[in-house]
Amino acid sequence: MNDRIFEACSKILPQGYISQCQGARNSVSNNIGELITKRRLPEHGWSDDLIETLLSELSTMDTNNFHGNVGVGEREGRIYSSLVRRRHFRLSHGIGRSGDITAIQPKAAGSSLLNNITNRLVLDSLRIAGGTSCKSCFVVPMATGMALTLCMQTFRNSKPSAKYVMWLRIDQKSCFKSIATAGFESVVIERKLEGDQLVTDLLAIEETIERLGADSILCVMSTTSCFAPRAIDDIEGIAKLCDRYHISHLVNNAYGVQSSKCMHVIQQASRVGRLDAFVQSCDKNYMVPVGGAVIAGFDESLIEAISQTYPGRASAAPSIDMMITLLSFGASDFKNLLKERKEMFQYLLEKVKIVAEKYGERVLSTPSNPISIAVSLTREEMTPSQLTQIGSMLFTRNVSGLRVVTGNEEKTINGHTFTGFGAHYDAYPVSYFTVAAAIGIKRQDIDTFCVRLDKVLSKLYSNKPSCDKFL
């Protein structure tokens, strides 16, 4: 309602009532106006009603929602199901145009505005998380693996003769398969075992560059967030090598936004060397449904080039989810969530250590992994299949996410055989399980998990009675 309508209302209702309503309406308009002007996270989270008002206003700017609009093209934003229409807030045109995922659509001014604002809100969140000099980012409606592929396809334009991607081993299929999907050959750089921790072998990277020749290498793909006992890669050291040899550097930061340590090493690497782009999952970092990733970097023109590599329009669903969630957070709650996650990591570490020591096991020392924790499984009388029962027994007790790694699995992916798959290493000295303190985890989750873990281990390690005294 605008001022003209309120004036007409004042002829029906007392002016005092109308002024009060007008003030409330102006408050909504001021919030929306400030968001569009600044395109940054509000300090405090918005209510659901305010967010729905914004989405409703944006949807009225798309032609499929114009009163009396007649569409005679092949794609006019028609939605048959009213349930689907409500699910997407009547925003049916998606984002981008046929040649650029960040381009403005003439038929969809509202969706285009939503896309632009969402990308800027995400950029603000990355800066809050520690990527303080990050210049640009965009949400892409693909999971992390395909987003990595999109980056490599863009890098090809500046190095068309390149054949290889140097991949620092992490036993996770998606990032490895993304290389073949982009049309390149993987060169696996194995980890180095230091104590319990698997660290980056910078010497092996440099020797491989010298052996293959820098001109034949498209990029080095490094990783921050990962399952222990693998550590964050030496992102700064790799950045210096990439800068020296003029090789692109792509970072898989899948769930690293929630970790100040992961974001700090990315930020520092951009200052001391070369870091072209870093990719992160929407669902793992922002608590939204699976289906989106964020591609970000410190060179605005390169990130724009990556967005232009995406073929065709794209679903707006991940961008809508991200806008809603970030506005619900606000800067204050987002900071609190990051702080709380760090505290919960320490709490999980302490509680799991108590359970582990009760059964003669120990937490593996992995100080360079700020999210994941690994606990040894060293009972000689237990077979690998018995050890894996820990995971299945906990799953049936409504505990998800725990992974048991025996080091005995062999897996072939795209023609490359990995020994000890799951451990990031051919011959890790002990079996173990991993758990993680991810964003959103609560103290009660950890307490309940430890009770159930104790009961499962008590059954498998039969000489120790179950008890809850450690809580």
Side-chain angles (χ1 to χ4, degrees), residues 297-333:
F298 302 90
D299 180 344
E300 193 168 353
S301 62
L302 175 60
I303 301 305
E304 183 180 359
I306 296 172
S307 74
Q308 292 172 348
T309 302
Y310 187 95
R313 289 174 176 82
S315 169
S319 295
I320 294 172
D321 291 342
M322 287 291 283
M323 170 181 266
I324 291 170
T325 302
L326 287 167
L327 289 176
S328 297
F329 285 160
S332 178
D333 276 3

Coordinates of all heavy atoms in Angstrom, one line a residue, residues 297-333:
G297 N 36.2 -15.9 -4.8 CA 37.6 -15.6 -5.1 C 38.0 -14.2 -4.8 O 37.2 -13.4 -4.4
F298 N 39.3 -13.9 -5.1 CA 39.9 -12.6 -4.8 C 40.1 -11.7 -6.1 O 40.6 -10.6 -6.0 CB 41.2 -12.8 -4.0 CG 41.0 -13.5 -2.7 CD1 41.1 -14.9 -2.7 CD2 40.7 -12.9 -1.6 CE1 40.9 -15.6 -1.5 CE2 40.5 -13.6 -0.4 CZ 40.6 -14.9 -0.4
D299 N 39.7 -12.3 -7.2 CA 39.8 -11.6 -8.5 C 38.4 -11.6 -9.1 O 37.8 -12.6 -9.6 CB 40.7 -12.4 -9.4 CG 40.9 -11.7 -10.8 OD1 40.1 -10.8 -11.1 OD2 41.8 -12.0 -11.5
E300 N 37.8 -10.4 -9.1 CA 36.4 -10.3 -9.5 C 36.2 -10.7 -10.9 O 35.2 -11.3 -11.3 CB 35.9 -8.8 -9.3 CG 34.4 -8.7 -9.4 CD 33.9 -7.3 -8.9 OE1 34.8 -6.5 -8.4 OE2 32.7 -7.0 -9.1
S301 N 37.1 -10.4 -11.8 CA 37.0 -10.7 -13.2 C 37.0 -12.2 -13.5 O 36.3 -12.7 -14.3 CB 38.1 -10.0 -14.1 OG 39.4 -10.5 -13.7
L302 N 37.8 -12.9 -12.7 CA 37.9 -14.4 -12.8 C 36.6 -15.0 -12.3 O 36.0 -16.0 -13.0 CB 39.0 -15.0 -12.0 CG 39.1 -16.5 -12.0 CD1 39.3 -17.1 -13.4 CD2 40.3 -17.0 -11.1
I303 N 36.0 -14.6 -11.2 CA 34.8 -15.2 -10.7 C 33.6 -14.9 -11.7 O 32.8 -15.7 -12.0 CB 34.4 -14.6 -9.3 CG1 35.5 -14.9 -8.4 CG2 33.1 -15.1 -8.8 CD1 35.9 -16.4 -8.3
E304 N 33.7 -13.7 -12.4 CA 32.7 -13.4 -13.4 C 32.8 -14.3 -14.6 O 31.9 -14.8 -15.1 CB 32.8 -11.9 -13.9 CG 31.8 -11.5 -14.9 CD 31.9 -10.1 -15.3 OE1 32.9 -9.4 -14.8 OE2 31.1 -9.7 -16.2
A305 N 34.1 -14.6 -15.0 CA 34.3 -15.5 -16.1 C 33.8 -16.9 -15.7 O 33.3 -17.6 -16.6 CB 35.8 -15.6 -16.4
I306 N 34.0 -17.4 -14.5 CA 33.4 -18.7 -14.1 C 31.9 -18.7 -14.2 O 31.3 -19.7 -14.7 CB 33.9 -19.1 -12.7 CG1 35.4 -19.2 -12.6 CG2 33.2 -20.4 -12.2 CD1 36.0 -19.4 -11.2
S307 N 31.3 -17.6 -13.8 CA 29.8 -17.6 -13.9 C 29.3 -17.6 -15.3 O 28.3 -18.2 -15.6 CB 29.3 -16.3 -13.2 OG 29.5 -15.1 -13.9
Q308 N 30.1 -17.0 -16.2 CA 29.8 -17.0 -17.6 C 30.0 -18.4 -18.3 O 29.5 -18.6 -19.4 CB 30.5 -15.9 -18.4 CG 30.1 -14.5 -17.9 CD 31.0 -13.4 -18.5 OE1 32.1 -13.7 -19.1 NE2 30.6 -12.2 -18.4
T309 N 30.7 -19.2 -17.6 CA 31.0 -20.6 -18.2 C 29.7 -21.5 -18.0 O 29.5 -22.4 -18.8 CB 32.2 -21.2 -17.5 OG1 33.3 -20.4 -17.7 CG2 32.5 -22.6 -18.1
Y310 N 28.9 -21.2 -17.0 CA 27.7 -22.0 -16.7 C 26.8 -21.9 -17.9 O 26.4 -20.8 -18.4 CB 27.0 -21.5 -15.5 CG 25.9 -22.3 -15.1 CD1 26.0 -23.3 -14.1 CD2 24.6 -22.2 -15.6 CE1 25.0 -24.1 -13.7 CE2 23.5 -23.0 -15.2 CZ 23.7 -24.0 -14.3 OH 22.7 -24.8 -13.9
P311 N 26.4 -23.0 -18.5 CA 25.6 -23.0 -19.7 C 24.1 -22.9 -19.4 O 23.5 -23.8 -18.8 CB 25.9 -24.3 -20.4 CG 26.3 -25.2 -19.3 CD 26.8 -24.4 -18.2
G312 N 23.4 -21.8 -19.8 CA 22.0 -21.7 -19.6 C 21.6 -21.1 -18.3 O 22.4 -20.6 -17.5
R313 N 20.2 -20.9 -18.2 CA 19.7 -20.4 -16.9 C 19.9 -21.5 -15.8 O 20.3 -22.6 -16.1 CB 18.2 -20.1 -17.1 CG 17.9 -18.9 -18.0 CD 16.4 -18.8 -18.3 NE 16.2 -17.6 -19.0 CZ 16.3 -17.5 -20.3 NH1 16.7 -18.5 -21.0 NH2 16.1 -16.3 -21.0
A314 N 19.5 -21.1 -14.6 CA 19.7 -22.0 -13.5 C 18.5 -21.9 -12.6 O 17.8 -20.9 -12.5 CB 21.0 -21.7 -12.8
S315 N 18.3 -22.9 -11.8 CA 17.3 -22.9 -10.7 C 17.6 -21.9 -9.7 O 18.7 -21.7 -9.3 CB 17.2 -24.3 -10.1 OG 16.4 -24.2 -8.9
A316 N 16.6 -21.2 -9.3 CA 16.7 -20.1 -8.2 C 16.6 -20.7 -6.8 O 16.8 -20.0 -5.9 CB 15.7 -19.0 -8.5
A317 N 16.2 -22.0 -6.7 CA 15.9 -22.6 -5.4 C 17.0 -22.4 -4.4 O 16.8 -22.0 -3.3 CB 15.5 -24.1 -5.6
P318 N 18.3 -22.8 -4.8 CA 19.3 -22.6 -3.8 C 19.5 -21.1 -3.4 O 19.8 -20.8 -2.2 CB 20.6 -23.1 -4.5 CG 20.1 -24.1 -5.5 CD 18.8 -23.5 -6.0
S319 N 19.4 -20.2 -4.3 CA 19.5 -18.8 -4.0 C 18.4 -18.3 -3.1 O 18.6 -17.5 -2.2 CB 19.5 -17.9 -5.3 OG 20.7 -18.2 -6.1
I320 N 17.2 -18.8 -3.3 CA 16.1 -18.4 -2.4 C 16.3 -18.9 -1.0 O 16.2 -18.2 0.0 CB 14.7 -19.0 -3.0 CG1 14.4 -18.3 -4.3 CG2 13.6 -18.8 -2.0 CD1 13.2 -19.0 -5.0
D321 N 16.8 -20.2 -0.9 CA 17.1 -20.8 0.4 C 18.1 -20.0 1.1 O 18.1 -19.8 2.3 CB 17.5 -22.2 0.2 CG 16.4 -23.2 -0.2 OD1 15.2 -22.8 -0.1 OD2 16.7 -24.3 -0.7
M322 N 19.2 -19.6 0.3 CA 20.3 -18.9 1.0 C 19.8 -17.5 1.4 O 20.2 -17.0 2.5 CB 21.4 -18.8 0.0 CG 22.2 -20.1 -0.3 SD 23.1 -20.6 1.2 CE 24.5 -19.5 1.1
M323 N 19.0 -16.8 0.6 CA 18.6 -15.5 1.0 C 17.7 -15.6 2.3 O 17.9 -14.8 3.2 CB 17.7 -14.8 -0.1 CG 17.0 -13.5 0.3 SD 16.0 -12.8 -0.9 CE 17.2 -11.6 -1.6
I324 N 16.8 -16.5 2.3 CA 15.9 -16.7 3.5 C 16.8 -16.9 4.7 O 16.6 -16.3 5.8 CB 14.9 -17.8 3.2 CG1 13.9 -17.4 2.2 CG2 14.2 -18.2 4.5 CD1 13.0 -18.6 1.7
T325 N 17.7 -17.9 4.6 CA 18.5 -18.3 5.7 C 19.4 -17.2 6.2 O 19.5 -16.9 7.5 CB 19.3 -19.5 5.4 OG1 18.4 -20.6 5.0 CG2 20.1 -20.0 6.6
L326 N 20.1 -16.5 5.3 CA 21.0 -15.4 5.7 C 20.3 -14.2 6.3 O 20.7 -13.6 7.3 CB 21.8 -14.9 4.5 CG 22.9 -15.9 4.1 CD1 23.4 -15.5 2.7 CD2 24.1 -16.0 5.1
L327 N 19.1 -13.9 5.8 CA 18.3 -12.9 6.4 C 17.8 -13.3 7.8 O 17.6 -12.5 8.7 CB 17.1 -12.5 5.5 CG 17.5 -11.7 4.3 CD1 16.3 -11.5 3.4 CD2 18.2 -10.4 4.6
S328 N 17.5 -14.6 7.9 CA 17.1 -15.1 9.3 C 18.2 -15.1 10.3 O 18.0 -14.8 11.4 CB 16.6 -16.6 9.1 OG 15.5 -16.7 8.3
F329 N 19.4 -15.4 9.8 CA 20.6 -15.3 10.7 C 20.8 -13.8 11.2 O 20.8 -13.6 12.4 CB 21.9 -15.7 9.9 CG 22.1 -17.1 9.7 CD1 23.0 -17.5 8.7 CD2 21.5 -18.1 10.4 CE1 23.2 -18.8 8.4 CE2 21.7 -19.4 10.2 CZ 22.6 -19.8 9.2
G330 N 21.0 -12.9 10.2 CA 21.5 -11.6 10.5 C 23.0 -11.8 10.8 O 23.4 -12.9 11.1
A331 N 23.7 -10.7 10.8 CA 25.2 -10.8 11.1 C 25.4 -11.3 12.5 O 26.3 -12.1 12.7 CB 25.8 -9.4 10.8
S332 N 24.6 -10.8 13.4 CA 24.9 -11.2 14.8 C 24.7 -12.7 15.1 O 25.6 -13.3 15.7 CB 23.9 -10.4 15.7 OG 24.0 -10.7 17.1
D333 N 23.6 -13.3 14.6 CA 23.4 -14.7 14.9 C 24.4 -15.6 14.1 O 24.8 -16.6 14.5 CB 22.0 -15.1 14.5 CG 21.0 -14.8 15.6 OD1 21.4 -14.3 16.7 OD2 19.8 -15.1 15.5

